[in-house]
Amino acid sequence: MIRKVDLVDTLIHKGQRKRLVEELRTKGISSEVVLNAIDSVPRQWFFPKDFDQYVYRDAAFPIDHGQTISQPFTVAYQTQLSGVSKGEKVLEIGTGSGYQAAILLAMGADVYSVEFILPILQQTAHLFQLLEQKISLFHGDGSLGIPGFAPYDCIIVTAGAPNVPDTLIQQLKVGGRLIIPVGNTKEDQKMLRITKVSTTQVKQEIFNDCKFVPLKGQLGWQ
Ligand code: SAM
């Protein structure tokens, strides 16, 4: 388990973050709010210990239990697509390392996040406790959302789904956005943004190809 003394953020880390922000800008991330959040969150706190040289590469990296901390570009891209603004209520599905959640917190969102794998959730909950950050974390099957706290302004799914779970659309406010990678195979997806236009209508937009670990659970991959 990470300890408070491990939460360092050196000038080298800060410099590497600035370079990462510029790299993300050249790759098409234009939201200053998102770029500022990337600049302000020390990714090394969410990253496996002893791999410091990989922290600010724009790449996903393995964490425990066969899962990954998402690529910074992917985190920035999903966050930009979500259009999340300060004070909005956001549900993240797939807490993992907590990095995406930390970016949303840095943007002033009210963050709810659910993780399927209990030891991952426990480790990340411990980290947020050390950071004294207010976040609502849940252990469970996020393919079903967290209906008890719905409706949400935004739902961001950080694992690849076989379909768009209807239950997640039901948990959006009117005007709410669901950002979800969906694909016919477990390995490849396309990023979708589903906007709930009215209580009965949605608008679907299709964006980049992407590669996420599979969404598990009832409405995920069995
Ligand atoms: N958001 C994470 C981050 O910032 O590092 C990256 C998440 S990782 C790519 C995907 C996570 O989704 C894994 O931790 C995995 O255990 C979790 N997951 C997969 N299926 C899930 C489900 N049905 N409900 C909740 N979490 C799920």
Side-chain angles (χ1 to χ4, degrees):
M1 284 277 182
I2 194 164
R3 299 158 308 157
K4 198 129 194 164
V5 292
D6 298 322
L7 298 175
V8 290
D9 190 29
T10 64
L11 279 178
I12 292 175
H13 291 127
K14 289 182 172 79
Q16 289 173 329
R17 239 174 8 254
K18 294 256 177 266
R19 276 207 295 277
L20 174 63
V21 164
E22 290 319 310
E23 186 179 346
L24 297 181
R25 212 188 279 282
T26 62
K27 289 180 175 173
I29 303 300
S30 55
S31 161
E32 291 303 324
V33 184
V34 173
L35 291 169
N36 283 341
I38 298 277
D39 190 33
S40 72
V41 175
R43 189 169 187 246
Q44 66 274 13
W45 297 350
F46 303 86
F47 207 84
K49 220 169 158 232
D50 302 327
F51 290 99
D52 227 36
Q53 71 270 36
Y54 297 103
V55 172
Y56 288 103
R57 292 191 185 173
D58 186 25
F61 198 82
I63 59 169
D64 292 341
H65 306 278
Q67 303 306 312
T68 53
I69 173 169
S70 296
Q71 181 184 354
F73 175 79
T74 306
V75 172
Y77 187 65
Q78 284 197 288
T79 311
Q80 179 166 279
L81 282 181
S82 75
V84 165
S85 56
K86 196 172 176 179
E88 281 197 320
K89 186 172 172 184
V90 183
L91 173 64
E92 179 200 21
I93 294 166
T95 314
S97 69
Y99 181 62
Q100 168 76 78
I103 295 293
L104 294 166
L105 287 170
M107 291 168 62
D110 178 17
V111 182
Y112 295 71
S113 184
V114 53
E115 172 56 50
F116 198 78
I117 300 176
L118 183 58
I120 293 185
L121 194 268
Q122 285 169 330
Q123 193 171 327
T124 303
H126 170 71
L127 172 60
F128 279 117
Q129 225 165 27
L130 289 184
L131 295 173
E132 297 176 17
Q133 289 204 321
K134 189 182 160 291
I135 179 168
S136 304
L137 294 174
F138 303 86
H139 172 235
D141 179 4
S143 74
L144 304 173
I146 300 286
F149 291 88
Y152 304 97
D153 295 290
C154 189
I155 300 178
I156 298 180
V157 182
T158 68
N163 295 296
V164 178
D166 199 40
T167 155
L168 297 185
I169 293 172
Q170 285 162 16
Q171 291 174 39
L172 284 177
K173 292 180 187 172
V174 171
R177 293 86 59 201
L178 166 63
I179 313 300
I180 181 168
V182 175
N184 294 327
T185 70
K186 279 190 182 179
E187 289 77 30
D188 297 285
Q189 305 92 23
K190 282 200 183 296
M191 191 68 77
L192 305 187
R193 176 169 60 196
I194 319 274
T195 305
K196 190 161 175 175
V197 186
S198 71
T199 49
T200 54
Q201 276 183 309
V202 295
K203 177 175 98 177
Q204 176 175 301
E205 297 164 280
I206 304 176
F207 295 93
N208 283 7
D209 291 338
C210 47
K211 278 182 189 295
F212 281 79
V213 294
L215 181 73
K216 301 183 171 92
Q218 268 188 58
L219 301 178
W221 292 94
Q222 295 301 314

